[in-house]
Amino acid sequence: MNEMADSLATVTPGLSGMEDALVRSLEQLGAGVLIKHLGTGRYEYASPAARGLWPGARDPLGASDAELFDAVQAVALRAADQQAVSLSSGFAAEHRLERQGERREYMVWRQALRDADGQASRVLSSWQDLTEARKREQQLQAALQQIEEQQLANAELRREMQDNQVRDNVSGLYHRAHFEEQLRREADLSSREQREFAIVSVAVDGMDDIRQTYGADSCERVVEALGRLLRANTRAMDSPCRLGGDRFVVLLSGVGLATAHSRMEHLRKQCSQHIVAYNGQQIPFTVSMGIASFPHTAGSVEELMRSADRSMAVSREKGGNHLTLASIQFVPAG
């Protein structure tokens, strides 16, 4: 008899045995449990954990949402209660509530409690404060983003370091070693696939005159401008290179003489119309070009380079600002 009395005494006042068991189970899971009377809109039950859910708020027991929160928040809570009443399996929702200038986030599961006649008279709500977990999640995401950004920055730095090893600092074009490697690969590919490629030898006209007229640094500004124009007029598969001083060379992959002539003539005209602004002065410049192609004007890489250089020298002899094509070799039939 005493054991039965002790068992009945454990039931929370105002709750049935089944409801009390549900409340206790939720409390053991660390949730704050509230029961609201739908008629009065006031909380009839608040577990110890629920009484600390909302920092700075009054004890929810006996209070209504309108007394605990502002009007907008109270309306949102009542709407969630009505949603739970309309469902038989319960209803979960997230709420963001402002208290004393602090926003806290909660996951709330609601279940309508029904009388013997099946009418919902109360709503049980189980509150889980997600604020700290969300903060840790945001901190983790921020840390991961920083790591990702650092990795990207490191990768970009490695690319820049690698780029600096193969590119000229002033013109932004490839160094000779990189160009020669690409040239060998292109020659091998051309021999295997029976296709052409072209080499363009380029020299800035009158670089010594530019230096004497506008100053030593003016030559670097001209080289920078020519580098930009060469990069803009070549494809990713091409290899524009600065050999040093006023000398440049371009490998045009998979291109024959006619196409190379058309593209480089366009570049020549761009150079002749380009003005370099330097130290309050405007510096005009032109280029001389010679084009040779493999295998039509030369049968080896070495001869190809010499053929392009000879053609460029012819352009210079004609006064500069000129483009010369190498002669096509004619092999007599055996």
Side-chain angles (χ1 to χ4, degrees):
M1 181 71 71
N2 289 337
E3 291 179 0
M4 183 178 295
D6 291 340
S7 177
L8 292 173
T10 63
V11 177
T12 303
L15 299 181
S16 68
M18 185 176 296
E19 292 170 350
D20 183 76
L22 176 60
V23 167
R24 290 179 184 275
S25 297
L26 292 170
E27 289 177 342
Q28 287 176 358
L29 294 173
V33 182
L34 296 164
I35 297 178
K36 182 193 294 182
H37 192 281
L38 292 174
T40 64
R42 296 185 178 277
Y43 291 101
E44 293 184 337
Y45 174 81
S47 70
R51 294 182 178 185
L53 278 172
W54 309 309
R58 57 174 285 187
D59 189 335
L61 188 61
S64 67
D65 291 326
E67 294 168 343
L68 296 169
F69 306 103
D70 63 35
V72 174
Q73 293 171 346
V75 168
L77 294 175
R78 286 197 297 272
D81 291 340
Q82 293 301 318
Q83 184 74 11
V85 169
S86 67
L87 301 172
S88 59
S89 58
F91 173 66
E94 289 192 22
H95 294 288
R96 295 175 176 83
L97 302 177
E98 296 281 348
R99 293 298 307 171
Q100 297 181 330
E102 179 186 9
R103 188 182 77 167
R104 301 192 70 83
E105 300 183 34
Y106 303 89
M107 174 61 73
V108 185
W109 176 79
R110 291 177 170 83
Q111 176 70 57
L113 301 179
R114 302 184 185 277
D115 297 334
D117 59 2
Q119 294 297 314
S121 59
R122 294 168 297 163
V123 171
L124 179 147
S125 57
S126 169
W127 290 68
Q128 198 77 32
D129 191 338
L130 304 178
T131 308
E132 297 307 319
R134 290 285 170 83
K135 286 181 180 178
R136 289 193 296 271
E137 182 180 339
Q138 291 174 357
Q139 290 170 351
L140 176 60
Q141 291 296 328
L144 291 175
Q145 184 176 354
Q146 288 179 351
I147 291 173
E148 182 179 1
E149 290 173 351
Q150 187 61 50
Q151 289 175 337
L152 292 173
N154 290 340
E156 181 63 25
L157 180 60
R158 286 194 297 271
R159 283 193 295 270
E160 288 180 0
M161 292 176 65
Q162 292 171 355
D163 210 35
N164 288 336
Q165 293 175 356
V166 299
R167 289 186 183 272
D168 172 61
N169 290 332
V170 179
S171 66
L173 303 179
Y174 292 116
H175 291 306
R176 179 190 291 270
H178 177 82
F179 171 80
E180 290 177 347
E181 180 182 350
Q182 295 301 111
L183 179 57
R184 286 192 296 271
R185 290 180 180 178
E186 188 70 22
D188 290 341
L189 182 64
S190 177
S191 297
R192 289 196 308 270
E193 298 186 359
Q194 303 285 309
R195 70 172 193 173
E196 288 183 274
F197 72 92
I199 291 293
V200 186
S201 183
V202 183
V204 179
D205 295 325
M207 187 69 92
D208 289 339
D209 293 338
I210 292 174
R211 183 181 294 105
Q212 292 175 5
T213 303
Y214 301 100
D217 291 342
S218 64
C219 296
E220 287 197 354
R221 303 291 82 78
V222 171
V223 169
E224 288 176 355
L226 179 54
R228 287 193 297 269
L229 291 172
L230 280 169
R231 294 196 303 274
N233 284 274
T234 52
R235 306 159 299 172
M237 64 196 70
D238 299 329
S239 295
C241 163
R242 184 185 183 190
L243 298 178
D246 64 350
R247 295 294 308 280
F248 301 80
V249 65
V250 183
L251 186 157
L252 298 175
S253 177
V255 167
L257 276 178
T259 302
H261 178 273
S262 175
R263 289 173 54 185
M264 291 300 100
E265 177 64 14
H266 176 72
L267 173 62
R268 184 195 63 78
K269 290 179 179 178
Q270 279 189 317
C271 292
S272 66
Q273 296 167 1
H274 192 84
I275 298 297
V276 177
Y278 168 69
N279 200 21
Q281 305 173 90
Q282 294 185 332
I283 307 173
F285 74 95
T286 61
V287 293
S288 293
M289 298 183 182
I291 302 177
S293 73
F294 182 90
H296 292 95
T297 67
S300 68
V301 168
E302 294 76 12
E303 178 56 30
L304 182 69
M305 292 294 296
R306 288 194 293 269
S307 179
D309 286 343
R310 286 195 297 267
S311 298
M312 184 272 294
V314 171
S315 293
R316 278 190 154 178
E317 290 171 2
K318 293 180 178 179
N321 192 23
H322 196 81
L323 186 156
T324 302
L325 296 179
S327 300
I328 297 177
Q329 292 181 337
F330 291 98
V331 180

